[in-house]
Amino acid sequence: MSVSNQEVARRLREIYQLMQLAGENRFRAIAFDRAAQTIEGLGEDINTYITNDTLTDIKGIGSSIAEDIKSYAETGKIDVLEDLRAKIPEGVIKWLDISGLGPKNIAKIHKELGISELEELKEACQDGRVASLDGLGEKSAQKIVKSIEWMEQFEERCRLDQALKIADPLFHFLKKQEGVEHIEVAGSLRRSNETIGDVDILIGAKKKYGPSIFDAFVGHELVVDVLGRGDTKSSIRTKEGRQVDLRIVTPAEFPAALMYFTGSKEHNVVMRQRARERGMSLNEYGLFKLNEQGETDFDQPIAYASESDIYEHLDLHFIPPELREDQGEIDFFETHETMELVKKSDIRGVLHVHSTYSDGKYSIREMAEACLERGYEYLGLSDHSQTAAYAGGLSPDEVKRQWDEVDQLNEEFKSSGANFRIFKGIESDILGDGSLDYDDKLLEGFDFVIASVHSAIDQPRSKMMERFRNAIANPFTRMVGHPTGRLLLKRNGSDLDMNELIELAAEHNTAIEINANPLRLDLDWRHGNKALEVELMSAINPDAHTTEGIDYMKYGVMTARKGKFEKERILNTKSADQVETFFRNR
Ligand code: DGT
Ligand code: CA
Ligand code: CA
Ligand code: ZN
């Protein structure tokens, strides 16, 4: 039987999740997760390896997992998985998404209370059953309820990475259909928002091709439900529960429709007003003259061939889609031709990477090689500090061991002529009083310190700000990590005075990262104007815990662009030497 890479990866990941819940050895579980990631990123068809019996040639796949994969291809079953499934009901897997509830406690609650649905868990938290369990208590129970409520509230939206996983295959599939002259993703996804309600796709095609394009769309394998179908618009739901709207307009209408359906609504409102002030009417069908009664005169269209042309008619230079939020972009592009927003190709290295020394899944060497493969020139290692015991934070002795290993690796890179270096960094917890997590003597030995809050993120604003003030004033701090600590659609971040935080960081010549993990995207783009005003330095950081995590960079770049960051204000667009200078310039 032939299997797909995705399918095998999914099964292996399920084993990983279930093993965690079954309380199996953590490293054994991680091996399955790593194998799943490797297979997802594999350039070749897994069936080739199965047929040639060469699965163990794939990095990270040992003989035991190879057997599991073969068994799956032959019988559609994997013994470990079947055993685990028998032990753990499906509903419980969802509990892994609850922030603040780890596998051990999930297993305990499930076993001792005999419940397995999310709704049951919520009830058990509210009626005191969860609180009565060893090691849980009322506070944990309340936290779990809050997380569940967040999850329920936000199923309406999904994250940027999840939306792209749906939009990309549909886009490429639709692009190939007969008659498609223009196609773009529109809406919040084109604007690079951090969460997406529904995915909007716009096609420019002659009328006669509409029906067959819609047929293809609703027949796509991702579609489980057709929500509506008309002459110009069709909406579907994908198996992940996401809605996708496809609109088809004529090639001539396409630029105006694209502008309209890209939004944002707020941006559109201002554009429409601007058109009226100039005796024109702008809508999804085009740009028209107003008649004497001030109404749209559809008989007097104004010619345009692109979105740029439309902006020009409104006395504006082209406004990049990411910036269309009515957040000052309209004034800016009245007088400026462009804004030199950072691009993916500007990025020269990655900072904020974890290794097996703390909670990363790969060794320093593996992470470094993965960076090299991706063409980066440096890696800023930043494992967790000692207080973060839950994440395997480093004791002073382990820090020194790590430094030795980094020295050796750097020596190796140098003698092999590789243009690559590793910076010795740490992601230091910001403690309750705002101090960093080691004494100054040890801190001095790092190339750089990222200061992040990982505990008590719910403290009142005044207390949080006090911690940050102290942390930023500390001369060893070179960067603030994920400032609010939010987990998109899962957990609210800290209540902070972001304007003050940004001013403080700029004053102390400290960067605030844009954490590129699609769950975080923190610094939020909405603070872009303030950051620009005080010339805040940032870095687009993957916060990678795996080699694949390095590829989060793309979401970070999207967010940085939306936050108006030019290349100059992104630290990791600079050479290793320049980065070192910034680190030293305390
Ligand atoms: P979402 O889907 O909630 O993440 O956000 P959008 O921006 O993708 O919103 P959506 O899908 O409702 O509509 C796509 C675009 O269409 C929106 O950005 C602007 C335009 N649009 C939709 N409805 C209106 C409206 O009532 N007025 C104006 N001016 N524009 C609209
Ligand atoms: Ca949308
Ligand atoms: Ca929509
Ligand atoms: Zn962190």
Side-chain angles (χ1 to χ4, degrees), residues 91-101 118 121-122 143-157 487-491:
V92 179
I93 300 178
K94 260 211 208 124
W95 296 11
L96 284 168
D97 287 338
I98 302 171
S99 100
L101 184 61
L118 207 58
L121 174 61
K122 198 170 153 190
K143 248 197 189 150
I144 297 170
V145 172
K146 223 170 130 192
S147 296
I148 296 176
E149 278 168 357
W150 265 86
M151 279 166 68
E152 287 168 347
Q153 185 182 342
F154 281 106
E155 263 174 28
E156 296 295 300
R157 301 187 72 76
L487 295 177
L488 288 168
L489 309 180
K490 274 192 176 190
R491 173 177 95 189

Side-chain angles (χ1 to χ4, degrees), residues 298-316:
F298 286 97
D299 293 330
Q300 292 200 69
I302 295 163
Y304 57 81
S306 63
E307 277 187 319
S308 290
D309 289 351
I310 300 175
Y311 280 113
E312 209 177 300
H313 284 301
L314 303 177
D315 301 323
L316 289 168

Side-chain angles (χ1 to χ4, degrees), residues 157 186-189 191 193 195-200 245 247 259-266 268-269 272:
R157 301 187 72 76
S188 50
L189 191 49
R191 301 199 313 279
N193 284 46
T195 67
I196 309 294
D198 62 9
V199 172
D200 300 280
D245 292 342
R247 294 181 183 82
M259 191 165 153
Y260 181 86
F261 290 112
T262 296
S264 65
K265 282 176 192 122
E266 293 75 12
N268 286 356
V269 167
R272 216 162 32 216

Side-chain angles (χ1 to χ4, degrees), residues 256-507:
L258 179 60
M259 191 165 153
Y260 181 86
F261 290 112
T262 296
S264 65
K265 282 176 192 122
E266 293 75 12
H267 178 88
N268 286 356
V269 167
V270 181
M271 286 302 119
R272 216 162 32 216
Q273 183 57 31
R274 228 182 140 85
R276 290 202 80 83
E277 287 162 7
R278 287 164 177 74
M280 292 176 278
S281 163
L282 177 66
N283 55 46
E284 58 185 287
Y285 308 104
L287 190 60
F288 305 89
K289 284 206 171 130
L290 292 174
N291 63 21
E292 266 133 44
Q293 288 77 47
E295 295 157 351
T296 308
D297 188 346
F298 286 97
D299 293 330
Q300 292 200 69
I302 295 163
Y304 57 81
S306 63
E307 277 187 319
S308 290
D309 289 351
I310 300 175
Y311 280 113
E312 209 177 300
H313 284 301
L314 303 177
D315 301 323
L316 289 168
H317 296 288
F318 177 79
I319 302 182
E322 300 92 321
L323 302 186
R324 300 182 194 170
E325 298 287 349
D326 189 22
Q327 294 279 327
E329 74 277 10
I330 295 157
D331 285 348
F332 183 90
F333 285 93
E334 264 183 356
T335 49
H336 298 76
E337 235 169 272
T338 53
M339 192 181 274
E340 295 300 329
L341 302 175
V342 62
K343 298 186 297 292
K344 183 84 189 357
S345 57
D346 294 332
I347 306 289
R348 295 178 68 171
V350 294
L351 308 168
H352 199 165
V353 168
H354 295 264
S355 75
T356 44
Y357 273 83
S358 66
D359 58 351
K361 289 183 184 157
Y362 291 77
S363 67
I364 303 175
R365 179 189 295 276
E366 286 171 313
M367 293 307 278
E369 281 170 356
C371 287
L372 256 167
E373 270 168 32
R374 288 160 173 78
Y376 293 125
E377 297 165 31
Y378 50 89
L379 175 166
L381 190 63
S382 59
D383 274 308
H384 287 285
S385 61
Q386 55 188 349
T387 294
Y390 60 91
L394 272 57
S395 69
D397 281 346
E398 286 170 316
V399 168
K400 289 185 184 135
R401 242 193 329 118
Q402 184 174 69
W403 287 350
D404 287 342
E405 188 174 333
V406 171
D407 284 338
Q408 267 173 30
L409 284 166
N410 277 337
E411 212 33 66
E412 217 181 281
F413 291 130
K414 204 169 179 182
S415 56
S416 72
N419 173 28
F420 193 82
R421 67 185 276 195
I422 303 173
F423 289 110
K424 296 170 193 160
I426 192 82
E427 181 179 15
S428 168
D429 265 39
I430 296 176
L431 304 181
D433 61 358
S435 53
L436 298 180
D437 205 7
Y438 298 107
D439 61 32
D440 285 1
K441 218 169 133 243
L442 193 70
L443 288 172
E444 178 118 56
F446 289 106
D447 292 321
F448 71 107
V449 175
I450 302 176
S452 306
V453 170
H454 291 115
S455 58
I457 79 162
D458 293 335
Q459 285 178 332
R461 180 184 274 221
S462 60
K463 181 74 192 141
M464 290 303 300
M465 288 307 294
E466 190 188 309
R467 289 167 81 186
F468 272 111
R469 265 180 229 122
N470 286 337
I472 291 174
N474 190 315
F476 293 111
T477 301
R478 299 313 295 121
M479 207 182 288
V480 172
H482 48 69
T484 73
R486 73 178 179 190
L487 295 177
L488 288 168
L489 309 180
K490 274 192 176 190
R491 173 177 95 189
N492 241 330
S494 304
D495 177 17
L496 302 176
D497 180 343
M498 282 307 301
N499 287 335
E500 187 193 338
L501 193 71
I502 289 167
E503 281 168 7
L504 278 172
E507 267 168 40

